[in-house]
Amino acid sequence: MIITEGLRFSYGETPILDGLDLRVDRGEIVGIVGPNGAGKTTLLKLLSGVMHPTGGRVVVDGKDLNSTGDAERARLVSVVPQNPQLPAGYRALDVVLMGRNPHLRIFEWEGAHDVEVAARAMRLTDVWDMADRPISSLSGGERQRTVLAMALAQASPVMLLDEPTTNLDLAHQVGIMDLVRGLLPDRLDCAVVAMHDLTLAAQYCDRLVMLSEGKSYADGPPLEVLTEENILAVYGASVFVIAHPQSGTPVVLPASGVGNGVLSTSPLGLIGAESPHQRSEASRGS
Amino acid sequence: MIKQWLPKAVSRVKGADSTALPAIGGAIPETMSYPWRRLAVGLAAVAVIGMLAATQGSVDIPPLTVFKMVVAKVPLVSVAESWPDSWDTILWRLRMPRIVLAGIVGGALALSGATYQALFRNPLAGPSLIGATAGAGLGATFVLVTGVPLYFKDTSLVPIAAFAGSIAAVMGAYTIARRAEGMSLITLILAGVAISSAAGALTSLLMIRSDPDLRPVLSWLLGGFGSAQWKHSVLVLPYIVPSLLVVLFYGRVLNVMQLDEDHARQLGVNVERTKLVLIIAATLSTAAAVSFTGPIGFVGLIAPHAVRLTWGNDYRSLVPMAAIVGAGFLILADLAARTVASPAELPVGVVTALCGAPFFLYLLRRREPITA
């Protein structure tokens, strides 16, 4: 589990995170949502310990990340970065084996056990068949699952995922999120996912934390966090929130044509201002 | 079954972390084993190239005789001496010191080229990238032209000044690139380029302002093995061998460093320490290599690429293999330098560029694009 207390971070005078208290319990997937610049990426970097907070602290499984060594930190928290640069010239298995780094000393090389852990992780994310292929020959979805396998090979109790579904098509988005969901609670204690796609976040996260200007604006079950009012206040965008026909989780639909924060009335009042037919005519003409 | 790459020095308690993952189906890829055989064949090839190079010169010595003369030096082995004494002098006083030094320098330059390429994730990186060779040139020129004594007692001060200039240039670039939050490799490259330009300009200035006889300086700056002695090899090895071992054992971490820096950090790599250790190793190796022989271009750039394009990117095998290829290549280049226009000698840097560039272009055409 992760606990942050009064987490602050600033670049010079500009505060990015301004006193954030967060708690992620065992068995939970927590989604971090919020507009660009709200501090999602910074928060993940602080949670993974690669950056140190300017105030407050991050505690993972009872250990303060400010005072843990590099390898120990990586044994506590694994990360699936947003846009990993996978070096060409390596096979998928070589890349997944890099995930074993925190379990090895500097001069130590991977042994049979590490290959086995990597192979199991690749089996779980369904890329084992590509173990021998050059990483550059894999598709976007396969690469993302390889990166997930690399994070799994770290065998850390906590996993952080930064926009794991961007650049993936619909089926692969769902595939990745199903995979992550399936890791809990046996293979992973808890996960924190930064996401732009609010609907997908609502579908897969037990709890959402909506960041606004470095603070937690709302924190709770998706149904409570993703309201039309909250989204308008934090994103400045008018949306309709309806219930998912299968799960009942909130589905966020942008109110099109009205744009970004200039709206003062309820989006419901705007229906009919422009019919779908007219809109498609207009877009065809442009 | 997977082969263990190296016997582990420390056995660690493991196992608990994998129980939750499913069992593996299918065979584990065979290619996990370390290419010992390739390295052994490479080393043997360098030895053969060295011996063949020793047959050529003003007096031709038959290859078999060279082989016998080498074997005769092995303790406890006796070979009937069927060659004139003068051949002993030629082989052991003139040719072998030169060949061995060329091999060591070629290996060291390839080693540091491979290290810089890996560290900077930049295919253009070579031993001279962050100022090591320009600094050496300035140091050597300073001693050669300014009237500073060339010798202290019996020791030539030129290599010492070259070594010091090399280290000073890189330290300058490093100091500029270093920040509280870590060192930016891009800043290091740019600072190195700036310091190289300044050192090159100062070198030219010193040459123009000095005594008209510039031949010693020019011959140092062009690089060569004409004055090679056994003691040169003995003096540079203490810098090169530890550097090689350090980079060799950092091979796995170097692979992880091919991810971007934050990703490597998330995987538990101490990125700042790794950068510092590897820059020190590559710079010491470069400085030692160029101190006696002057800067020799192209070896450090192309040997790692030739290995990468042929056998792949894993730095654990790339680094030693690049050193072997660099050694063999520079021995051959020096052989050409001293024999092609005999009795005159070509600058070895001219040979490395003339032979290396077309070979490199061929590799570029033949294989998939270089990525470093």
Side-chain angles (χ1 to χ4, degrees), chain A residues 127-150:
Chain A
V127 285
W128 177 236
D129 291 342
M130 297 137 203
D132 240 345
R133 282 184 33 200
I135 193 78
S136 48
S137 74
L138 303 188
S139 73
E142 290 163 349
R143 286 163 67 92
Q144 190 65 326
R145 280 183 285 140
T146 305
V147 175
L148 193 58
M150 168 159 53

Side-chain angles (χ1 to χ4, degrees), chain A residues 100 113 117, chain B residues 12-20:
Chain A
R100 295 301 295 164
H113 173 74
V117 173
Chain B
R12 289 153 64 86
V13 182
K14 287 181 179 173
D17 51 5
S18 65
T19 48

Side-chain angles (χ1 to χ4, degrees), chain B residues 217-265:
Chain B
V217 188
L218 276 176
S219 107
W220 193 91
L221 288 178
L222 285 169
F225 299 96
S227 54
Q229 297 172 27
W230 280 121
K231 69 173 182 190
H232 298 165
S233 294
V234 173
L235 283 169
V236 299
L237 275 178
Y239 300 96
I240 292 169
V241 171
S243 299
L244 176 68
L245 291 178
V246 165
V247 181
L248 203 58
F249 282 116
Y250 262 86
R252 188 183 59 75
V253 177
L254 261 184
N255 287 337
V256 181
M257 291 280 287
Q258 300 311 297
L259 304 163
D260 60 51
E261 272 185 25
D262 263 351
H263 202 171
R265 220 169 258 135

Side-chain angles (χ1 to χ4, degrees), chain A:
Chain A
M1 67 186 257
I2 310 175
I3 299 170
T4 76
E5 293 165 352
L7 201 58
R8 280 169 208 285
F9 187 82
S10 49
Y11 283 115
E13 296 290 294
T14 325
I16 309 291
L17 286 179
D18 196 8
L20 188 72
D21 297 316
L22 184 76
R23 184 191 170 91
V24 182
D25 282 313
R26 189 174 152 73
E28 263 192 319
I29 296 188
V30 171
I32 308 291
V33 298
N36 295 330
K40 295 193 295 287
T41 300
T42 304
L43 174 59
L44 285 199
K45 286 192 173 175
L46 296 179
L47 292 183
S48 72
V50 299
M51 288 194 329
H52 291 299
T54 39
R57 59 192 193 130
V58 178
V59 179
V60 178
D61 281 0
K63 288 181 183 118
D64 188 339
L65 287 193
N66 273 330
S67 52
T68 38
D70 296 284
E72 188 184 6
R73 192 169 41 90
R75 287 196 296 265
L76 288 170
V77 183
S78 64
V79 181
V80 175
Q82 183 174 4
N83 207 349
Q85 305 295 313
L86 299 182
Y90 292 89
R91 300 168 308 156
L93 177 61
D94 300 330
V95 173
V96 175
L97 277 172
M98 292 177 186
R100 295 301 295 164
N101 184 67
H103 298 270
L104 300 165
R105 285 153 206 265
I106 286 183
F107 290 169
E108 191 182 9
W109 289 356
E110 301 96 340
H113 173 74
D114 302 294
V115 177
E116 192 178 318
V117 173
R120 285 164 182 246
M122 292 178 85
R123 183 110 197 284
L124 198 65
T125 63
D126 201 24
V127 285
W128 177 236
D129 291 342
M130 297 137 203
D132 240 345
R133 282 184 33 200
I135 193 78
S136 48
S137 74
L138 303 188
S139 73
E142 290 163 349
R143 286 163 67 92
Q144 190 65 326
R145 280 183 285 140
T146 305
V147 175
L148 193 58
M150 168 159 53
L152 268 175
Q154 270 177 266
S156 325
V158 174
M159 188 183 283
L160 312 177
L161 301 100
D162 193 0
E163 305 283 354
T165 57
T166 35
N167 306 323
L168 296 182
D169 65 35
L170 194 64
H172 283 110
Q173 289 185 7
V174 173
I176 286 282
M177 292 313 292
D178 278 339
L179 253 174
V180 175
R181 183 83 258 180
L183 296 174
L184 285 96
D186 296 339
R187 288 162 189 149
L188 210 55
D189 261 10
C190 58
V192 177
V193 190
M195 285 189 94
H196 265 308
D197 188 329
L198 299 176
T199 303
L200 206 59
Q203 217 171 327
Y204 283 98
C205 298
D206 302 298
R207 194 150 59 83
L208 295 181
V209 175
M210 188 179 273
L211 292 185
S212 175
E213 292 169 353
K215 289 192 171 79
S216 163
Y217 185 88
D219 181 346
L223 265 173
E224 288 172 25
V225 172
L226 294 185
T227 61
E228 293 172 1
E229 295 75 30
N230 281 351
I231 293 171
L232 182 62
V234 169
Y235 287 80
S238 313
V239 296
F240 305 105
V241 177
I242 60 172
H244 193 285
Q246 185 190 26
S247 58
T249 55
V251 172
V252 178
L253 303 168
S256 48
V258 284
N260 24 36
V262 285
L263 192 77
S264 54
T265 53
S266 160
L268 290 168
L270 282 151
I271 289 189
E274 193 186 28
S275 79
H277 176 69
Q278 284 171 321
R279 201 164 56 238
S280 64
E281 285 288 321
S283 65
R284 214 173 294 147
S286 65

Side-chain angles (χ1 to χ4, degrees), chain B residues 163-235:
Chain B
F163 187 84
S166 185
I167 303 287
V170 175
M171 270 174 59
Y174 184 82
T175 310
I176 288 164
R178 209 182 134 182
R179 298 280 147 72
E181 68 270 17
M183 181 192 53
S184 156
L185 290 174
I186 298 292
T187 313
L188 181 63
I189 293 177
L190 292 174
V193 168
I195 286 178
S196 293
S197 311
L202 285 174
T203 305
S204 306
L205 197 64
L206 280 177
M207 286 165 70
I208 285 173
R209 303 272 299 171
S210 73
D211 201 272
D213 185 16
L214 291 172
R215 272 174 301 177
V217 188
L218 276 176
S219 107
W220 193 91
L221 288 178
L222 285 169
F225 299 96
S227 54
Q229 297 172 27
W230 280 121
K231 69 173 182 190
H232 298 165
S233 294
V234 173
L235 283 169

